[in-house]
PDB file of all heavy atoms in Angstrom:
ATOM      1  N   ARG O 472     151.415  17.596 182.226  1.00  0.00           N
ATOM      2  CA  ARG O 472     150.696  18.828 181.888  1.00  0.00           C
ATOM      3  C   ARG O 472     149.596  19.083 182.878  1.00  0.00           C
ATOM      4  O   ARG O 472     149.405  20.272 183.194  1.00  0.00           O
ATOM      5  CB  ARG O 472     150.056  18.740 180.467  1.00  0.00           C
ATOM      6  CG  ARG O 472     150.985  18.225 179.371  1.00  0.00           C
ATOM      7  CD  ARG O 472     152.253  19.081 179.331  1.00  0.00           C
ATOM      8  NE  ARG O 472     152.093  20.418 178.899  1.00  0.00           N
ATOM      9  CZ  ARG O 472     152.135  20.754 177.584  1.00  0.00           C
ATOM     10  NH1 ARG O 472     152.389  19.814 176.590  1.00  0.00           N
ATOM     11  NH2 ARG O 472     152.002  21.985 177.161  1.00  0.00           N
ATOM     12  N   ILE O 473     148.901  18.101 183.358  1.00  0.00           N
ATOM     13  CA  ILE O 473     147.928  18.364 184.416  1.00  0.00           C
ATOM     14  C   ILE O 473     148.357  17.481 185.541  1.00  0.00           C
ATOM     15  O   ILE O 473     148.190  16.209 185.518  1.00  0.00           O
ATOM     16  CB  ILE O 473     146.484  17.988 183.959  1.00  0.00           C
ATOM     17  CG1 ILE O 473     146.098  18.885 182.843  1.00  0.00           C
ATOM     18  CG2 ILE O 473     145.489  18.146 185.142  1.00  0.00           C
ATOM     19  CD1 ILE O 473     144.652  18.636 182.322  1.00  0.00           C
ATOM     20  N   GLN O 474     148.936  18.019 186.566  1.00  0.00           N
ATOM     21  CA  GLN O 474     149.554  17.242 187.603  1.00  0.00           C
ATOM     22  C   GLN O 474     148.591  17.024 188.772  1.00  0.00           C
ATOM     23  O   GLN O 474     148.792  17.525 189.916  1.00  0.00           O
ATOM     24  CB  GLN O 474     150.846  18.016 188.049  1.00  0.00           C
ATOM     25  CG  GLN O 474     151.865  18.168 186.955  1.00  0.00           C
ATOM     26  CD  GLN O 474     153.113  18.881 187.338  1.00  0.00           C
ATOM     27  OE1 GLN O 474     153.322  19.127 188.539  1.00  0.00           O
ATOM     28  NE2 GLN O 474     154.017  19.188 186.357  1.00  0.00           N
ATOM     29  N   GLN O 475     147.583  16.413 188.364  1.00  0.00           N
ATOM     30  CA  GLN O 475     146.529  15.955 189.334  1.00  0.00           C
ATOM     31  C   GLN O 475     146.094  14.560 189.004  1.00  0.00           C
ATOM     32  O   GLN O 475     146.037  14.177 187.835  1.00  0.00           O
ATOM     33  CB  GLN O 475     145.256  16.828 189.248  1.00  0.00           C
ATOM     34  CG  GLN O 475     145.412  18.323 189.726  1.00  0.00           C
ATOM     35  CD  GLN O 475     144.107  19.084 189.499  1.00  0.00           C
ATOM     36  OE1 GLN O 475     143.592  19.152 188.436  1.00  0.00           O
ATOM     37  NE2 GLN O 475     143.616  19.673 190.616  1.00  0.00           N
ATOM     38  N   SER O 476     145.692  13.795 190.089  1.00  0.00           N
ATOM     39  CA  SER O 476     144.986  12.548 189.791  1.00  0.00           C
ATOM     40  C   SER O 476     143.481  12.858 189.326  1.00  0.00           C
ATOM     41  O   SER O 476     143.022  13.983 189.398  1.00  0.00           O
ATOM     42  CB  SER O 476     144.935  11.746 191.069  1.00  0.00           C
ATOM     43  OG  SER O 476     144.126  12.274 192.025  1.00  0.00           O
ATOM     44  N   TYR O 477     142.856  11.760 188.924  1.00  0.00           N
ATOM     45  CA  TYR O 477     141.428  11.913 188.456  1.00  0.00           C
ATOM     46  C   TYR O 477     140.632  12.437 189.626  1.00  0.00           C
ATOM     47  O   TYR O 477     139.802  13.339 189.457  1.00  0.00           O
ATOM     48  CB  TYR O 477     140.908  10.575 187.986  1.00  0.00           C
ATOM     49  CG  TYR O 477     139.451  10.458 187.877  1.00  0.00           C
ATOM     50  CD1 TYR O 477     138.809  11.154 186.866  1.00  0.00           C
ATOM     51  CD2 TYR O 477     138.659   9.786 188.761  1.00  0.00           C
ATOM     52  CE1 TYR O 477     137.443  11.120 186.637  1.00  0.00           C
ATOM     53  CE2 TYR O 477     137.324   9.686 188.607  1.00  0.00           C
ATOM     54  CZ  TYR O 477     136.658  10.408 187.561  1.00  0.00           C
ATOM     55  OH  TYR O 477     135.289  10.341 187.405  1.00  0.00           O
ATOM     56  N   THR O 478     140.768  11.945 190.900  1.00  0.00           N
ATOM     57  CA  THR O 478     140.010  12.324 192.031  1.00  0.00           C
ATOM     58  C   THR O 478     140.326  13.811 192.365  1.00  0.00           C
ATOM     59  O   THR O 478     139.391  14.606 192.671  1.00  0.00           O
ATOM     60  CB  THR O 478     140.296  11.411 193.203  1.00  0.00           C
ATOM     61  OG1 THR O 478     139.992  10.090 192.847  1.00  0.00           O
ATOM     62  CG2 THR O 478     139.497  11.830 194.437  1.00  0.00           C
ATOM     63  N   GLU O 479     141.520  14.175 192.317  1.00  0.00           N
ATOM     64  CA  GLU O 479     141.893  15.579 192.581  1.00  0.00           C
ATOM     65  C   GLU O 479     141.310  16.546 191.533  1.00  0.00           C
ATOM     66  O   GLU O 479     140.887  17.587 191.851  1.00  0.00           O
ATOM     67  CB  GLU O 479     143.392  15.752 192.602  1.00  0.00           C
ATOM     68  CG  GLU O 479     144.090  15.094 193.836  1.00  0.00           C
ATOM     69  CD  GLU O 479     145.612  15.003 193.616  1.00  0.00           C
ATOM     70  OE1 GLU O 479     146.118  15.100 192.485  1.00  0.00           O
ATOM     71  OE2 GLU O 479     146.255  14.789 194.715  1.00  0.00           O
ATOM     72  N   PHE O 480     141.241  16.140 190.289  1.00  0.00           N
ATOM     73  CA  PHE O 480     140.606  16.861 189.231  1.00  0.00           C
ATOM     74  C   PHE O 480     139.196  17.054 189.529  1.00  0.00           C
ATOM     75  O   PHE O 480     138.602  18.184 189.378  1.00  0.00           O
ATOM     76  CB  PHE O 480     140.868  16.215 187.919  1.00  0.00           C
ATOM     77  CG  PHE O 480     140.196  16.897 186.700  1.00  0.00           C
ATOM     78  CD1 PHE O 480     140.795  18.106 186.151  1.00  0.00           C
ATOM     79  CD2 PHE O 480     139.007  16.481 186.162  1.00  0.00           C
ATOM     80  CE1 PHE O 480     140.225  18.765 185.169  1.00  0.00           C
ATOM     81  CE2 PHE O 480     138.452  17.180 185.125  1.00  0.00           C
ATOM     82  CZ  PHE O 480     139.039  18.309 184.596  1.00  0.00           C
ATOM     83  N   LEU O 481     138.500  16.000 189.923  1.00  0.00           N
ATOM     84  CA  LEU O 481     137.047  16.091 190.206  1.00  0.00           C
ATOM     85  C   LEU O 481     136.802  17.094 191.343  1.00  0.00           C
ATOM     86  O   LEU O 481     135.863  17.881 191.290  1.00  0.00           O
ATOM     87  CB  LEU O 481     136.566  14.735 190.635  1.00  0.00           C
ATOM     88  CG  LEU O 481     136.160  13.696 189.558  1.00  0.00           C
ATOM     89  CD1 LEU O 481     135.622  12.448 190.221  1.00  0.00           C
ATOM     90  CD2 LEU O 481     135.342  14.275 188.508  1.00  0.00           C
ATOM     91  N   LYS O 482     137.659  17.051 192.341  1.00  0.00           N
ATOM     92  CA  LYS O 482     137.447  17.984 193.496  1.00  0.00           C
ATOM     93  C   LYS O 482     137.644  19.425 193.138  1.00  0.00           C
ATOM     94  O   LYS O 482     137.140  20.332 193.937  1.00  0.00           O
ATOM     95  CB  LYS O 482     138.332  17.519 194.663  1.00  0.00           C
ATOM     96  CG  LYS O 482     137.995  16.247 195.273  1.00  0.00           C
ATOM     97  CD  LYS O 482     138.970  15.925 196.416  1.00  0.00           C
ATOM     98  CE  LYS O 482     138.569  14.548 197.034  1.00  0.00           C
ATOM     99  NZ  LYS O 482     139.507  14.201 198.180  1.00  0.00           N
ATOM    100  N   THR O 483     138.376  19.711 192.008  1.00  0.00           N
ATOM    101  CA  THR O 483     138.527  21.128 191.712  1.00  0.00           C
ATOM    102  C   THR O 483     137.802  21.459 190.366  1.00  0.00           C
ATOM    103  O   THR O 483     137.962  22.574 189.758  1.00  0.00           O
ATOM    104  CB  THR O 483     140.033  21.436 191.494  1.00  0.00           C
ATOM    105  OG1 THR O 483     140.496  20.448 190.462  1.00  0.00           O
ATOM    106  CG2 THR O 483     140.874  21.212 192.727  1.00  0.00           C
ATOM    107  N   LEU O 484     136.937  20.509 189.930  1.00  0.00           N
ATOM    108  CA  LEU O 484     136.108  20.733 188.744  1.00  0.00           C
ATOM    109  C   LEU O 484     135.115  21.959 188.985  1.00  0.00           C
ATOM    110  O   LEU O 484     134.408  21.967 189.973  1.00  0.00           O
ATOM    111  CB  LEU O 484     135.380  19.421 188.365  1.00  0.00           C
ATOM    112  CG  LEU O 484     134.584  19.514 187.082  1.00  0.00           C
ATOM    113  CD1 LEU O 484     135.490  19.681 185.810  1.00  0.00           C
ATOM    114  CD2 LEU O 484     133.767  18.169 186.871  1.00  0.00           C
ATOM    115  N   LYS O 485     135.100  22.810 187.917  1.00  0.00           N
ATOM    116  CA  LYS O 485     134.138  24.020 188.105  1.00  0.00           C
ATOM    117  C   LYS O 485     133.072  24.017 187.028  1.00  0.00           C
ATOM    118  O   LYS O 485     132.097  24.761 187.235  1.00  0.00           O
ATOM    119  CB  LYS O 485     135.121  25.275 188.084  1.00  0.00           C
ATOM    120  CG  LYS O 485     135.974  25.463 189.160  1.00  0.00           C
ATOM    121  CD  LYS O 485     135.340  25.622 190.583  1.00  0.00           C
ATOM    122  CE  LYS O 485     136.262  26.021 191.677  1.00  0.00           C
ATOM    123  NZ  LYS O 485     137.323  25.058 191.959  1.00  0.00           N
ATOM    124  N   LEU O 486     133.309  23.452 185.870  1.00  0.00           N
ATOM    125  CA  LEU O 486     132.329  23.614 184.849  1.00  0.00           C
ATOM    126  C   LEU O 486     132.256  22.336 184.002  1.00  0.00           C
ATOM    127  O   LEU O 486     133.239  21.751 183.576  1.00  0.00           O
ATOM    128  CB  LEU O 486     132.710  24.798 183.893  1.00  0.00           C
ATOM    129  CG  LEU O 486     131.920  24.908 182.571  1.00  0.00           C
ATOM    130  CD1 LEU O 486     130.463  25.200 182.907  1.00  0.00           C
ATOM    131  CD2 LEU O 486     132.479  26.077 181.686  1.00  0.00           C
ATOM    132  N   LEU O 487     131.013  21.833 183.753  1.00  0.00           N
ATOM    133  CA  LEU O 487     130.670  20.887 182.701  1.00  0.00           C
ATOM    134  C   LEU O 487     129.877  21.546 181.646  1.00  0.00           C
ATOM    135  O   LEU O 487     128.873  22.121 181.979  1.00  0.00           O
ATOM    136  CB  LEU O 487     129.921  19.718 183.406  1.00  0.00           C
ATOM    137  CG  LEU O 487     129.309  18.777 182.423  1.00  0.00           C
ATOM    138  CD1 LEU O 487     130.391  18.013 181.621  1.00  0.00           C
ATOM    139  CD2 LEU O 487     128.417  17.720 183.149  1.00  0.00           C
ATOM    140  N   TYR O 488     130.457  21.477 180.438  1.00  0.00           N
ATOM    141  CA  TYR O 488     129.767  22.104 179.332  1.00  0.00           C
ATOM    142  C   TYR O 488     129.326  20.994 178.331  1.00  0.00           C
ATOM    143  O   TYR O 488     130.146  20.155 178.008  1.00  0.00           O
ATOM    144  CB  TYR O 488     130.630  23.118 178.617  1.00  0.00           C
ATOM    145  CG  TYR O 488     130.129  23.560 177.261  1.00  0.00           C
ATOM    146  CD1 TYR O 488     129.012  24.475 177.199  1.00  0.00           C
ATOM    147  CD2 TYR O 488     130.607  23.166 175.990  1.00  0.00           C
ATOM    148  CE1 TYR O 488     128.558  24.924 175.952  1.00  0.00           C
ATOM    149  CE2 TYR O 488     130.201  23.582 174.855  1.00  0.00           C
ATOM    150  CZ  TYR O 488     129.073  24.525 174.795  1.00  0.00           C
ATOM    151  OH  TYR O 488     128.642  24.918 173.617  1.00  0.00           O
ATOM    152  N   VAL O 489     128.009  21.072 177.906  1.00  0.00           N
ATOM    153  CA  VAL O 489     127.572  20.152 176.871  1.00  0.00           C
ATOM    154  C   VAL O 489     127.103  20.898 175.665  1.00  0.00           C
ATOM    155  O   VAL O 489     126.220  21.889 175.837  1.00  0.00           O
ATOM    156  CB  VAL O 489     126.411  19.244 177.466  1.00  0.00           C
ATOM    157  CG1 VAL O 489     125.814  18.345 176.355  1.00  0.00           C
ATOM    158  CG2 VAL O 489     126.943  18.320 178.574  1.00  0.00           C
ATOM    159  N   SER O 490     127.625  20.625 174.554  1.00  0.00           N
ATOM    160  CA  SER O 490     127.431  21.526 173.294  1.00  0.00           C
ATOM    161  C   SER O 490     126.017  21.178 172.705  1.00  0.00           C
ATOM    162  O   SER O 490     125.325  22.114 172.185  1.00  0.00           O
ATOM    163  CB  SER O 490     128.526  21.441 172.271  1.00  0.00           C
ATOM    164  OG  SER O 490     128.556  19.994 171.849  1.00  0.00           O
ATOM    165  N   HIS O 491     125.635  19.926 172.722  1.00  0.00           N
ATOM    166  CA  HIS O 491     124.272  19.578 172.191  1.00  0.00           C
ATOM    167  C   HIS O 491     123.884  18.243 172.697  1.00  0.00           C
ATOM    168  O   HIS O 491     124.611  17.534 173.353  1.00  0.00           O
ATOM    169  CB  HIS O 491     124.318  19.722 170.618  1.00  0.00           C
ATOM    170  CG  HIS O 491     125.250  18.736 169.980  1.00  0.00           C
ATOM    171  ND1 HIS O 491     126.597  18.928 169.962  1.00  0.00           N
ATOM    172  CD2 HIS O 491     124.996  17.606 169.259  1.00  0.00           C
ATOM    173  CE1 HIS O 491     127.232  17.942 169.325  1.00  0.00           C
ATOM    174  NE2 HIS O 491     126.202  17.148 168.887  1.00  0.00           N
ATOM    175  N   MET O 492     122.704  17.727 172.253  1.00  0.00           N
ATOM    176  CA  MET O 492     122.153  16.619 172.941  1.00  0.00           C
ATOM    177  C   MET O 492     122.373  15.283 172.227  1.00  0.00           C
ATOM    178  O   MET O 492     121.616  14.330 172.363  1.00  0.00           O
ATOM    179  CB  MET O 492     120.594  16.785 173.077  1.00  0.00           C
ATOM    180  CG  MET O 492     120.257  17.784 174.256  1.00  0.00           C
ATOM    181  SD  MET O 492     120.939  17.240 175.817  1.00  0.00           S
ATOM    182  CE  MET O 492     119.957  15.728 176.113  1.00  0.00           C
ATOM    183  N   HIS O 493     123.319  15.301 171.214  1.00  0.00           N
ATOM    184  CA  HIS O 493     123.673  13.934 170.662  1.00  0.00           C
ATOM    185  C   HIS O 493     124.424  13.089 171.704  1.00  0.00           C
ATOM    186  O   HIS O 493     125.302  13.607 172.467  1.00  0.00           O
ATOM    187  CB  HIS O 493     124.510  14.126 169.414  1.00  0.00           C
ATOM    188  CG  HIS O 493     123.715  14.489 168.229  1.00  0.00           C
ATOM    189  ND1 HIS O 493     124.209  15.042 167.027  1.00  0.00           N
ATOM    190  CD2 HIS O 493     122.309  14.463 168.063  1.00  0.00           C
ATOM    191  CE1 HIS O 493     123.208  15.305 166.226  1.00  0.00           C
ATOM    192  NE2 HIS O 493     122.085  14.906 166.803  1.00  0.00           N
ATOM    193  N   ALA O 494     124.146  11.791 171.635  1.00  0.00           N
ATOM    194  CA  ALA O 494     124.620  10.947 172.743  1.00  0.00           C
ATOM    195  C   ALA O 494     126.127  10.940 172.810  1.00  0.00           C
ATOM    196  O   ALA O 494     126.705  10.760 173.860  1.00  0.00           O
ATOM    197  CB  ALA O 494     124.076   9.475 172.499  1.00  0.00           C
ATOM    198  N   ASP O 495     126.828  11.023 171.668  1.00  0.00           N
ATOM    199  CA  ASP O 495     128.275  10.915 171.642  1.00  0.00           C
ATOM    200  C   ASP O 495     128.952  12.148 172.346  1.00  0.00           C
ATOM    201  O   ASP O 495     130.094  12.181 172.440  1.00  0.00           O
ATOM    202  CB  ASP O 495     128.909  10.708 170.277  1.00  0.00           C
ATOM    203  CG  ASP O 495     128.534  11.855 169.302  1.00  0.00           C
ATOM    204  OD1 ASP O 495     127.379  12.391 169.421  1.00  0.00           O
ATOM    205  OD2 ASP O 495     129.400  12.214 168.497  1.00  0.00           O
ATOM    206  N   HIS O 496     128.148  13.091 172.709  1.00  0.00           N
ATOM    207  CA  HIS O 496     128.661  14.309 173.378  1.00  0.00           C
ATOM    208  C   HIS O 496     128.305  14.406 174.857  1.00  0.00           C
ATOM    209  O   HIS O 496     128.735  15.255 175.537  1.00  0.00           O
ATOM    210  CB  HIS O 496     128.234  15.607 172.721  1.00  0.00           C
ATOM    211  CG  HIS O 496     128.895  15.766 171.333  1.00  0.00           C
ATOM    212  ND1 HIS O 496     129.962  16.643 171.261  1.00  0.00           N
ATOM    213  CD2 HIS O 496     128.784  15.151 170.147  1.00  0.00           C
ATOM    214  CE1 HIS O 496     130.382  16.596 169.875  1.00  0.00           C
ATOM    215  NE2 HIS O 496     129.639  15.678 169.317  1.00  0.00           N
ATOM    216  N   HIS O 497     127.323  13.545 175.340  1.00  0.00           N
ATOM    217  CA  HIS O 497     127.026  13.703 176.783  1.00  0.00           C
ATOM    218  C   HIS O 497     126.725  12.415 177.551  1.00  0.00           C
ATOM    219  O   HIS O 497     126.432  12.404 178.735  1.00  0.00           O
ATOM    220  CB  HIS O 497     125.735  14.568 176.844  1.00  0.00           C
ATOM    221  CG  HIS O 497     124.474  13.890 176.399  1.00  0.00           C
ATOM    222  ND1 HIS O 497     123.831  13.035 177.197  1.00  0.00           N
ATOM    223  CD2 HIS O 497     123.725  13.939 175.247  1.00  0.00           C
ATOM    224  CE1 HIS O 497     122.637  12.619 176.553  1.00  0.00           C
ATOM    225  NE2 HIS O 497     122.660  13.113 175.347  1.00  0.00           N
ATOM    226  N   LEU O 498     126.790  11.251 176.899  1.00  0.00           N
ATOM    227  CA  LEU O 498     126.488   9.968 177.588  1.00  0.00           C
ATOM    228  C   LEU O 498     127.364   9.682 178.836  1.00  0.00           C
ATOM    229  O   LEU O 498     126.971   9.021 179.762  1.00  0.00           O
ATOM    230  CB  LEU O 498     126.489   8.825 176.693  1.00  0.00           C
ATOM    231  CG  LEU O 498     125.176   8.438 175.876  1.00  0.00           C
ATOM    232  CD1 LEU O 498     125.268   7.189 175.239  1.00  0.00           C
ATOM    233  CD2 LEU O 498     123.958   8.555 176.838  1.00  0.00           C
ATOM    234  N   GLY O 499     128.622  10.245 178.803  1.00  0.00           N
ATOM    235  CA  GLY O 499     129.503  10.008 179.952  1.00  0.00           C
ATOM    236  C   GLY O 499     129.243  10.969 181.116  1.00  0.00           C
ATOM    237  O   GLY O 499     129.845  10.768 182.214  1.00  0.00           O
ATOM    238  N   ALA O 500     128.348  11.909 180.920  1.00  0.00           N
ATOM    239  CA  ALA O 500     128.146  13.031 182.002  1.00  0.00           C
ATOM    240  C   ALA O 500     127.499  12.396 183.283  1.00  0.00           C
ATOM    241  O   ALA O 500     127.751  12.885 184.378  1.00  0.00           O
ATOM    242  CB  ALA O 500     127.308  14.100 181.431  1.00  0.00           C
ATOM    243  N   ILE O 501     126.596  11.391 183.067  1.00  0.00           N
ATOM    244  CA  ILE O 501     125.967  10.780 184.222  1.00  0.00           C
ATOM    245  C   ILE O 501     127.063  10.209 185.207  1.00  0.00           C
ATOM    246  O   ILE O 501     127.031  10.407 186.384  1.00  0.00           O
ATOM    247  CB  ILE O 501     124.938   9.665 183.854  1.00  0.00           C
ATOM    248  CG1 ILE O 501     123.773  10.379 183.049  1.00  0.00           C
ATOM    249  CG2 ILE O 501     124.477   8.940 184.910  1.00  0.00           C
ATOM    250  CD1 ILE O 501     122.856  11.259 183.893  1.00  0.00           C
ATOM    251  N   GLN O 502     127.971   9.423 184.663  1.00  0.00           N
ATOM    252  CA  GLN O 502     128.959   8.790 185.461  1.00  0.00           C
ATOM    253  C   GLN O 502     129.882   9.859 186.026  1.00  0.00           C
ATOM    254  O   GLN O 502     130.288   9.708 187.247  1.00  0.00           O
ATOM    255  CB  GLN O 502     129.792   7.747 184.683  1.00  0.00           C
ATOM    256  CG  GLN O 502     130.785   7.017 185.439  1.00  0.00           C
ATOM    257  CD  GLN O 502     130.240   6.017 186.402  1.00  0.00           C
ATOM    258  OE1 GLN O 502     128.931   5.761 186.403  1.00  0.00           O
ATOM    259  NE2 GLN O 502     130.999   5.559 187.314  1.00  0.00           N
ATOM    260  N   LEU O 503     130.260  10.825 185.242  1.00  0.00           N
ATOM    261  CA  LEU O 503     131.171  11.888 185.767  1.00  0.00           C
ATOM    262  C   LEU O 503     130.430  12.635 186.881  1.00  0.00           C
ATOM    263  O   LEU O 503     131.101  12.865 187.953  1.00  0.00           O
ATOM    264  CB  LEU O 503     131.456  12.888 184.638  1.00  0.00           C
ATOM    265  CG  LEU O 503     132.427  14.053 185.052  1.00  0.00           C
ATOM    266  CD1 LEU O 503     133.829  13.521 185.102  1.00  0.00           C
ATOM    267  CD2 LEU O 503     132.245  15.234 184.104  1.00  0.00           C
ATOM    268  N   LEU O 504     129.206  12.936 186.784  1.00  0.00           N
ATOM    269  CA  LEU O 504     128.479  13.759 187.861  1.00  0.00           C
ATOM    270  C   LEU O 504     128.330  12.857 189.096  1.00  0.00           C
ATOM    271  O   LEU O 504     128.489  13.305 190.218  1.00  0.00           O
ATOM    272  CB  LEU O 504     127.158  14.257 187.409  1.00  0.00           C
ATOM    273  CG  LEU O 504     127.187  15.335 186.348  1.00  0.00           C
ATOM    274  CD1 LEU O 504     125.754  15.662 185.773  1.00  0.00           C
ATOM    275  CD2 LEU O 504     127.708  16.630 186.961  1.00  0.00           C
ATOM    276  N   HIS O 505     127.972  11.591 188.813  1.00  0.00           N
ATOM    277  CA  HIS O 505     127.916  10.687 190.010  1.00  0.00           C
ATOM    278  C   HIS O 505     129.192  10.527 190.789  1.00  0.00           C
ATOM    279  O   HIS O 505     129.239  10.612 192.044  1.00  0.00           O
ATOM    280  CB  HIS O 505     127.521   9.283 189.526  1.00  0.00           C
ATOM    281  CG  HIS O 505     127.481   8.177 190.581  1.00  0.00           C
ATOM    282  ND1 HIS O 505     126.537   8.215 191.706  1.00  0.00           N
ATOM    283  CD2 HIS O 505     128.321   7.164 190.829  1.00  0.00           C
ATOM    284  CE1 HIS O 505     126.803   7.226 192.394  1.00  0.00           C
ATOM    285  NE2 HIS O 505     127.848   6.534 191.979  1.00  0.00           N
ATOM    286  N   GLU O 506     130.291  10.439 190.105  1.00  0.00           N
ATOM    287  CA  GLU O 506     131.614  10.324 190.772  1.00  0.00           C
ATOM    288  C   GLU O 506     132.008  11.583 191.387  1.00  0.00           C
ATOM    289  O   GLU O 506     132.694  11.662 192.394  1.00  0.00           O
ATOM    290  CB  GLU O 506     132.686   9.647 189.885  1.00  0.00           C
ATOM    291  CG  GLU O 506     132.278   8.268 189.376  1.00  0.00           C
ATOM    292  CD  GLU O 506     133.451   7.498 188.873  1.00  0.00           C
ATOM    293  OE1 GLU O 506     134.612   8.063 188.888  1.00  0.00           O
ATOM    294  OE2 GLU O 506     133.241   6.398 188.396  1.00  0.00           O
ATOM    295  N   TRP O 507     131.691  12.778 190.698  1.00  0.00           N
ATOM    296  CA  TRP O 507     131.937  14.060 191.311  1.00  0.00           C
ATOM    297  C   TRP O 507     131.209  14.167 192.638  1.00  0.00           C
ATOM    298  O   TRP O 507     131.759  14.657 193.669  1.00  0.00           O
ATOM    299  CB  TRP O 507     131.561  15.163 190.359  1.00  0.00           C
ATOM    300  CG  TRP O 507     131.596  16.515 191.023  1.00  0.00           C
ATOM    301  CD1 TRP O 507     132.649  17.374 191.134  1.00  0.00           C
ATOM    302  CD2 TRP O 507     130.473  17.186 191.539  1.00  0.00           C
ATOM    303  NE1 TRP O 507     132.232  18.555 191.792  1.00  0.00           N
ATOM    304  CE2 TRP O 507     130.856  18.444 192.037  1.00  0.00           C
ATOM    305  CE3 TRP O 507     129.070  16.888 191.718  1.00  0.00           C
ATOM    306  CZ2 TRP O 507     130.088  19.389 192.679  1.00  0.00           C
ATOM    307  CZ3 TRP O 507     128.266  17.796 192.378  1.00  0.00           C
ATOM    308  CH2 TRP O 507     128.800  19.083 192.799  1.00  0.00           C
TER     309      TRP O 507
END
Side-chain angles (χ1 to χ4, degrees):
R472 310 309 289 273
I473 299 183
Q474 299 179 10
Q475 290 179 304
S476 69
Y477 168 72
T478 303
E479 290 168 341
F480 178 79
L481 283 184
K482 290 180 177 180
T483 59
L484 184 62
K485 294 297 192 295
L486 171 64
L487 168 63
Y488 169 74
V489 174
S490 62
H491 62 288
M492 285 302 293
H493 281 164
D495 62 319
H496 287 256
H497 73 79
L498 273 190
I501 292 293
Q502 185 68 14
L503 182 78
L504 289 173
H505 173 70
E506 296 199 6
W507 170 83

